């Protein structure tokens, strides 16, 4: 996973229906970029049959000390 | 008993009213007196309802005289973050957009406190739509830290932290999506409980991120938080995400010793790049817990930076989705920083958001495996004490996101994992600013955190310190 460029951000905000000009797109790219960088080691590595609801299963499991 | 009722803890004042040692009128008048003194300095209240509060106090006293006690908080005046819906009352959510919003229903958390007998002092300031960790609000002004009025309170429950610290209310509801209860607790020197996701119903609480939002109290003591949690927790037909797990006796849990408990201290991340005074206070906290009989063990946690990043992807996307209509129709009515952060969520592809959501289960399992053998993990709430209002007023400038991320570095991993965390006052800097430490527990094990927090507060008096009017 790579951080989106300002050009890509502009395209995404256009598609979302909340267009951003070039300056705002650049600011968004810089703001959100570190989150993409931080998550990069995980992105694309998750097993096929993993659902978001697995969180609730782990949360509800009795965990011994 | 203190000569000033407003200085008492929630538990103490509730008992005093129940035993008719104090009337609700006397208690409410004491709070209103302090509010009149402090509000011009702090800007902690959004609305002050003096006459209504005194009338409600008189009604509570009359009911008690007839033997009609509503509940354990009968006649106790409280104020809460202005994002909990109360039918017929304006709930601004700290925003211009909802400046005149009057809900038709009352939030479950608030209703359960009302059912226990609380009365309303007014409402408390907050960061616009609860989206910010500093306490700045361009529409209603910054809330000030009662320990140093030129410093921030932390956010987003800014008014809650400030008002509880200055003893203007005995407790206050906050909300914690990325640290919004623990940051104000840390900066203002009060106790704050971020609950497990699902422990308290979110029905009628303004949403920011449906996966991360939690309801919780800020108060003087862990025992106060335990009392409030016990009243609010539990299943709710109005919120299907609220857990159906039974509600333990949290107040009873606060009476327990911590002798023999194992408390983990992380070997990295939470101890990296700390302000020297925060590092000193962490060491002193460890020593105090050891003196109470706890065993301190080192724990090696999974990479917390990845959790922080995943939290940001989830929070930004969900917040943008909630706000999209207003971002199209009323962008000019948002503060610049809040709008900037909402816009960030537009740039996160659906696949990236869902990957962050899918990883939550394995990430929680990995964390729980890493802390096996411990009862809780101890860490600073933040790497620094409260910055000044001026130095943290970054608006939507180029450094804004970096400043926000630095402040919330130690709180966001906990939100992503949905875990409970209790922030307790743990010391003061040489310049007199409070510093808090957080105890991070297992899912739905708030009782353990409250037990440790209460034991720590029996051994220390940081939670009992009261800021003075300059």
């Amino acid at each position: 996973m790579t951080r989106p460029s300002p050009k890509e951000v502009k395209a995404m905000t256009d598609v979302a229906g909340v267009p951003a000009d070039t300056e705002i797109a650049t600011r968004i790219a810089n703001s959100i970029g570190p989150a993409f960088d931080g998550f990069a080691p995980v992105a694309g590595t998750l097993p096929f049959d993993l659902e978001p609801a697995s969180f609730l299963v782990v949360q509800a499991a009795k965990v011994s000390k | 008993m203190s000569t000033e009722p407003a200085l008492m803890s929630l538990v103490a004042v509730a008992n005093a009213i129940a035993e008719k040692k104090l009337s609700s009128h006397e208690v409410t008048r004491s709070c209103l007196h302090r509010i009149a003194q402090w509000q011009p300095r702090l800007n902690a209240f959004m609305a002050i309802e003096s006459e209504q509060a005194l009338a409600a106090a008189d009604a509570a006293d009359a009911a008690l005289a007839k033997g009609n006690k509503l509940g354990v908080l009968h006649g106790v005046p409280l104020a809460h973050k202005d994002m909990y819906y109360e039918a017929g009352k304006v709930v601004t959510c700290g925003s211009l957009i909802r400046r005149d919003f009057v809900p038709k229903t009352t939030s479950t958390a608030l209703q359960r406190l009302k059912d226990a007998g609380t009365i309303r002092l007014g409402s408390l300031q907050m960061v616009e739509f609860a989206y910010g960790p500093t306490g700045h609000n361009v529409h209603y002004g910054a809330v000030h830290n009662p320990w140093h009025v030129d410093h921030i309170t932390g956010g987003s429950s800014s008014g809650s932290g400030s008002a509880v610290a200055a003893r203007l209310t005995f407790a206050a509801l906050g909300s914690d999506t990325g640290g919004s209860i623990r940051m104000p607790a840390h900066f203002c020197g009060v106790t704050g409980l971020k609950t497990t996701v699902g422990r308290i119903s979110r029905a009628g609480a303004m949403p920011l991120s449906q996966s991360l939002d939690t309801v919780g109290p800020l108060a003087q003591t862990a025992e106060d938080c335990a009392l409030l949690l016990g009243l609010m927790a539990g299943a709710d037909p109005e919120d299907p995400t609220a857990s159906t797990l039974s509600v333990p006796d949290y107040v009873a849990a606060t009476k327990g010793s911590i002798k023999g408990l194992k408390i983990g201290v992380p070997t990295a991340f939470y101890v990296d790049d700390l302000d020297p005074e925060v590092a000193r206070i962490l060491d002193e906290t460890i020593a105090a817990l050891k003196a109470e009989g706890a065993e301190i063990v080192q724990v090696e946690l999974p990479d917390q930076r990845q959790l922080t990043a995943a939290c940001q992807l989830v929070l930004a996307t969900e917040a943008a989705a909630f706000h999209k209509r207003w971002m199209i129709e009323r962008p000019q009515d948002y503060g610049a920083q809040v709008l900037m952060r909402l816009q960030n969520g537009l740039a996160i592809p659906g696949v990236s958001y869902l990957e962050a959501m899918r990883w939550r289960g394995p990430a929680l399992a990995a964390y729980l495996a890493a802390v096996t053998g411990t009862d809780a993990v101890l860490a600073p709430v933040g790497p620094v004490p409260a910055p000044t209002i001026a130095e943290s007023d970054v608006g939507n400038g180029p450094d804004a996101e970096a400043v926000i991320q630095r402040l919330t570095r130690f709180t966001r991993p906990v939100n992503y994992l949905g875990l409970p965390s209790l922030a307790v006052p743990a010391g003061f800097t040489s310049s007199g600013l409070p510093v808090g430490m957080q105890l991070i527990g297992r899912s739905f094990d708030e009782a353990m955190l409250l037990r440790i927090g209460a034991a720590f507060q029996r051994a220390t008096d940081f939670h009992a310190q009261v800021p003075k009017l300059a």
Side-chain angles (χ1 to χ4, degrees):
Chain A
M1 188 163 86
T2 54
R3 59 164 67 196
S5 67
K7 191 175 171 185
E8 290 165 332
V9 167
K10 193 164 185 339
M12 282 190 277
T13 58
D14 285 348
V15 170
V18 194
D21 62 26
T22 303
E23 184 186 342
I24 291 174
T26 302
R27 195 181 62 202
I28 292 172
N30 290 334
S31 288
I32 203 69
F36 283 85
D37 296 341
F39 195 63
V42 179
T45 68
L46 299 176
F48 172 73
D49 51 359
L50 177 65
E51 291 203 21
S54 67
F55 171 71
L56 298 174
V57 175
V58 178
Q59 191 192 42
K62 278 280 177 198
V63 181
S64 61
K65 176 181 161 185
Chain B
M1 186 181 300
S2 165
T3 53
E4 195 173 353
L7 300 181
M8 299 169 75
S9 73
L10 176 75
V11 169
V13 83
N15 288 338
I17 292 172
E19 293 164 6
K20 298 181 183 171
K21 292 176 180 168
L22 284 171
S23 68
S24 175
H25 185 98
E26 288 173 294
V27 169
T28 303
R29 188 165 286 287
S30 177
C31 290
L32 291 171
H33 176 68
R34 287 186 71 83
I35 291 168
Q37 286 181 311
W38 280 93
Q39 173 67 4
R41 291 167 177 272
L42 302 182
N43 190 29
F45 273 73
M46 184 69 79
I48 302 166
E49 300 174 5
S50 306
E51 288 181 17
Q52 299 96 316
L54 286 170
D58 289 340
D61 287 334
L64 193 60
K66 292 179 185 168
N68 299 326
K69 184 183 170 192
L70 269 181
V72 294
L73 294 178
H74 186 98
V76 176
L78 297 180
H80 304 292
K81 187 175 186 177
D82 197 24
M83 57 165 272
Y84 289 95
Y85 299 176
E86 182 162 0
K89 296 283 186 184
V90 171
V91 179
T92 68
C93 304
S95 72
L96 207 56
I97 289 172
R98 284 207 144 175
R99 184 177 56 185
D100 302 314
F101 171 63
V102 180
K104 294 189 171 91
T105 58
T106 298
S107 70
T108 298
L110 199 52
Q111 187 60 52
R112 289 179 178 176
L113 295 182
K114 288 176 73 172
D115 291 344
T118 63
I119 61 179
R120 177 182 166 102
L121 281 169
S123 58
L124 296 172
Q125 263 263 45
M126 58 182 283
V127 172
E128 182 181 7
F129 289 118
Y131 208 8
T134 59
H136 291 278
N137 185 312
V138 295
H139 307 301
Y140 302 102
V143 183
H144 297 257
N145 191 314
W147 292 97
H148 269 290
V149 292
D150 53 347
H151 286 251
I152 62 169
T153 55
S156 63
S157 310
S158 48
S160 302
S162 183
V164 172
R167 307 302 193 246
L168 313 185
T169 177
F170 296 99
L173 288 182
S175 64
D176 197 317
T177 304
S180 288
I181 286 174
R182 289 163 289 158
M183 293 302 297
H186 163 45
F187 288 156
C188 294
V190 303
T191 307
L193 178 62
K194 183 248 177 253
T195 52
T196 307
V197 167
R199 181 67 287 187
I200 299 177
S201 166
R202 296 174 299 183
M206 180 213 77
L208 176 60
S209 161
Q210 74 269 19
S211 301
L212 306 174
D213 287 344
T214 56
V215 174
L218 295 94
Q220 281 187 39
T221 69
E223 188 184 25
D224 292 346
C225 289
L227 177 60
L228 292 165
L229 177 61
L231 293 169
M232 293 187 288
D236 177 17
E238 298 298 320
D239 178 2
T241 69
S243 173
T244 56
L245 286 175
S246 61
V247 178
D249 185 342
Y250 294 111
V251 174
T254 64
K255 312 300 182 194
S257 160
I258 61 170
K259 192 171 182 185
L261 295 186
K262 284 190 179 176
I263 298 174
V265 176
T267 54
F269 186 75
Y270 292 99
V271 292
D272 298 337
D273 302 322
L274 296 181
D275 175 278
E277 298 217 74
V278 174
R280 166 182 63 79
I281 291 168
L282 173 61
D283 289 342
E284 290 169 357
T285 305
I286 290 170
L289 292 168
K290 271 185 185 171
E292 291 304 299
E295 183 183 346
I296 304 296
V297 296
Q298 292 204 316
V299 288
E300 197 168 327
L301 300 176
D303 191 336
Q304 300 289 288
R305 293 169 303 177
Q306 293 170 4
L307 303 179
T308 302
C311 182
Q312 196 178 356
L313 294 174
V314 172
L315 172 51
T317 307
E318 293 184 353
F322 275 118
H323 284 269
K324 184 177 170 185
R325 179 178 165 188
W326 287 332
M327 291 168 74
I328 294 169
E329 295 177 354
R330 304 182 65 175
Q332 72 283 359
D333 290 336
Y334 285 102
Q337 186 183 92
V338 172
L339 181 60
M340 174 198 82
R341 300 190 70 206
L342 289 170
Q343 288 168 329
N344 288 346
L346 300 170
I348 297 167
V351 169
S352 299
Y353 164 72
L354 279 170
E355 277 192 299
M357 288 297 291
R358 291 172 68 223
W359 188 53
R360 228 177 157 198
L364 177 58
Y367 175 88
L368 293 173
V371 301
T372 298
T374 66
D375 294 286
V377 168
L378 173 72
V381 177
V384 293
T388 64
I389 290 173
E391 69 187 330
S392 59
D393 189 12
V394 288
N396 64 345
D399 297 332
E401 196 62 39
V403 168
I404 290 164
Q405 294 304 320
R406 178 155 194 254
L407 287 176
T408 56
R409 187 157 58 111
F410 297 159
T411 53
R412 288 181 176 228
V414 177
N415 292 91
Y416 180 69
L417 298 177
L419 295 169
S421 173
L422 180 72
V424 291
F428 288 85
T429 66
S430 55
S431 61
L433 286 168
V435 169
M437 293 290 147
Q438 60 178 330
L439 294 154
I440 305 165
R442 290 186 176 74
S443 309
F444 299 105
D445 198 9
E446 283 85 353
M448 177 59 73
L449 306 183
L450 293 162
R451 176 178 167 187
I452 299 169
F456 179 71
Q457 291 181 337
R458 284 193 292 273
T460 61
D461 69 350
F462 305 116
H463 62 286
Q465 302 299 313
V466 183
K468 306 265 189 304
L469 271 172

